[in-house]
Amino acid sequence: MKKRNSENMSIGDVLKEFVDHNKLQKGLDKVTVREVWNEQMGPAIQKYTTAIKLEGSTLYVQLSSSVLREELSYGKDKIIKMLNEELGRELVKKLVLR
């Protein structure tokens, strides 16, 4: 079996280079943060989540329940930390619940 040539790149490296070159990371982050919110918060909270928008490092989450919004507001720091851990980097710095 032939050894890999140093010029050969993994598919992940090629995709990362393509994303970086075409400045697609912001768009991917918006999709990824939405998926991570739904996955981490679970179906009960997902049911009341009507909109998720990432602008810069601020995540805006619109909820249809004022009671849930109030409850979640007490744990904003914990939610931000949990989302960033799942994302693998410090993407969300501020959480705004509407």
Side-chain angles (χ1 to χ4, degrees):
M1 207 176 228
K2 253 178 144 181
K3 258 183 132 181
R4 276 183 111 176
N5 196 348
S6 62
E7 292 177 12
N8 291 344
M9 296 174 71
S10 73
I11 290 175
D13 291 340
V14 171
L15 286 173
K16 184 178 179 344
E17 192 173 288
F18 178 80
V19 166
D20 291 346
H21 180 74
N22 292 291
K23 297 174 177 53
L24 300 174
Q25 193 60 52
K26 280 185 178 179
L28 288 173
D29 287 344
K30 290 177 182 183
V31 172
T32 306
V33 79
R34 188 176 299 128
E35 290 172 353
V36 169
W37 171 269
N38 289 329
E39 182 182 294
Q40 293 299 306
M41 300 308 284
I45 292 174
Q46 182 180 353
K47 187 169 74 172
Y48 294 102
T49 302
T50 55
I52 300 171
K53 189 166 140 186
L54 181 66
E55 285 184 9
S57 61
T58 303
L59 181 63
Y60 296 92
V61 179
Q62 192 165 339
L63 299 164
S64 60
S65 166
S66 58
V67 174
L68 179 61
R69 184 171 45 251
E70 187 70 24
E71 284 294 315
L72 292 180
S73 70
Y74 295 117
K76 280 186 183 181
D77 291 337
K78 186 178 177 185
I79 293 169
I80 291 169
K81 185 177 181 214
M82 177 182 62
L83 293 173
N84 285 330
E85 281 177 7
E86 190 63 28
L87 290 162
R89 61 195 167 101
E90 196 82 12
L91 182 62
V92 178
K93 290 187 172 43
K94 185 178 176 188
L95 176 61
V96 177
L97 303 170
R98 297 176 169 166

